[in-house]
Amino acid sequence: EPFQAAILGMEREGKWLLWKEKLPLNSTLQKNGNGRLVYQSYDPAACACEPPEQEELTVDAAKWQGAQEELATLWSAMRSYQNHKGKLPASLAELTRSFPENWIGGTTPVMKREFKSLKEIATAKALGTPEVASEPSSSIAEAGMGIPTALSESGSSGKGVPFFDQPLRVI
């Protein structure tokens, strides 16, 4: 089964890793037959090489980042709702009611598409189930979303949570 993972780089500032727009592509890992895994650095200084063209990967990475930000917002709103009401929202509409009963100001196509999958993940987490019974939606898999430790096709890391699994907060 083909496998490829792209690794994006974040700068470190003290104890924080900085999530910035258009994170640079650091490297890729690709399964290359006979159990081999090929590592390709995209940092000319680190590899002492001329890295291959990365335009398509850079575009895909930017899309992945944007989707992760939307999923983080939705995940955080769902968890806040759950903490306040003692249950998960039954629908996305419960999160977007009129102020002051709203948890988020609006939704995006990614949020609409992934609400059900995230609710299943949150339900499994609340029950202490290590895996979600159903697979994440195909759109998560296609975008390579929801991976805390590395980018994968399945959309999960075995933990079954989005990349940002902690509620958002302003520091």
Side-chain angles (χ1 to χ4, degrees), residues 63-71 74 78 91-93 95 104 106-121 134-146:
K63 288 179 187 174
W64 179 85
Q65 272 192 265
Q68 287 305 311
E69 291 164 4
E70 293 173 29
L71 291 174
L74 177 58
M78 291 171 71
S91 69
L92 196 53
L95 298 174
I104 50 178
T107 61
T108 67
V110 169
M111 291 176 181
K112 290 174 185 172
R113 192 174 56 237
E114 302 307 335
F115 175 79
K116 182 180 177 193
S117 294
L118 287 184
K119 184 175 176 185
E120 288 174 4
I121 291 167
S134 66
E135 288 294 314
S137 77
S138 61
S139 56
I140 287 180
E142 287 167 11
M145 297 178 211

Side-chain angles (χ1 to χ4, degrees), residues 11 24 33 52 64 72-73 85 109 119-120 129 137 143 148 153 158 162-163:
E11 293 176 30
W64 179 85
T73 302
K85 302 266 187 178
K119 184 175 176 185
E120 288 174 4
T129 309
S137 77
E153 290 293 321
F163 183 87

Side-chain angles (χ1 to χ4, degrees), residues 2-159:
F3 168 83
Q4 182 173 5
I7 301 153
L8 305 178
M10 288 189 262
E11 293 176 30
R12 182 174 293 280
E13 186 173 298
K15 68 178 185 174
W16 305 103
L17 289 173
L18 304 179
W19 178 275
K20 293 182 177 181
E21 192 173 345
K22 296 183 182 176
L23 290 171
L25 178 64
N26 276 2
S27 56
T28 56
L29 295 172
Q30 185 172 13
K31 194 174 185 179
N32 194 14
N34 297 328
R36 288 187 190 155
L37 198 59
V38 177
Y39 171 83
Q40 172 63 58
S41 174
Y42 286 86
D43 178 359
C47 71
C49 66
E50 180 79 29
E53 187 60 42
Q54 61 181 347
E55 183 63 34
E56 186 177 340
L57 283 172
T58 302
V59 169
D60 289 347
K63 288 179 187 174
W64 179 85
Q65 272 192 265
Q68 287 305 311
E69 291 164 4
E70 293 173 29
L71 291 174
T73 302
L74 177 58
W75 182 254
S76 188
M78 291 171 71
R79 299 296 298 273
S80 294
Y81 182 99
Q82 182 181 28
N83 289 340
H84 185 73
K85 302 266 187 178
K87 64 179 183 166
L88 287 165
S91 69
L92 196 53
E94 287 190 27
L95 298 174
T96 58
R97 292 185 173 158
S98 298
F99 181 81
E101 295 296 317
N102 65 330
W103 298 90
I104 50 178
T107 61
T108 67
V110 169
M111 291 176 181
K112 290 174 185 172
R113 192 174 56 237
E114 302 307 335
F115 175 79
K116 182 180 177 193
S117 294
L118 287 184
K119 184 175 176 185
E120 288 174 4
I121 291 167
T123 300
K125 243 182 121 113
L127 296 173
T129 309
E131 295 289 331
V132 177
S134 66
E135 288 294 314
S137 77
S138 61
S139 56
I140 287 180
E142 287 167 11
M145 297 178 211
I147 301 87
T149 54
L151 302 181
S152 78
E153 290 293 321
S154 69
S156 70
S157 68
K159 293 181 183 178

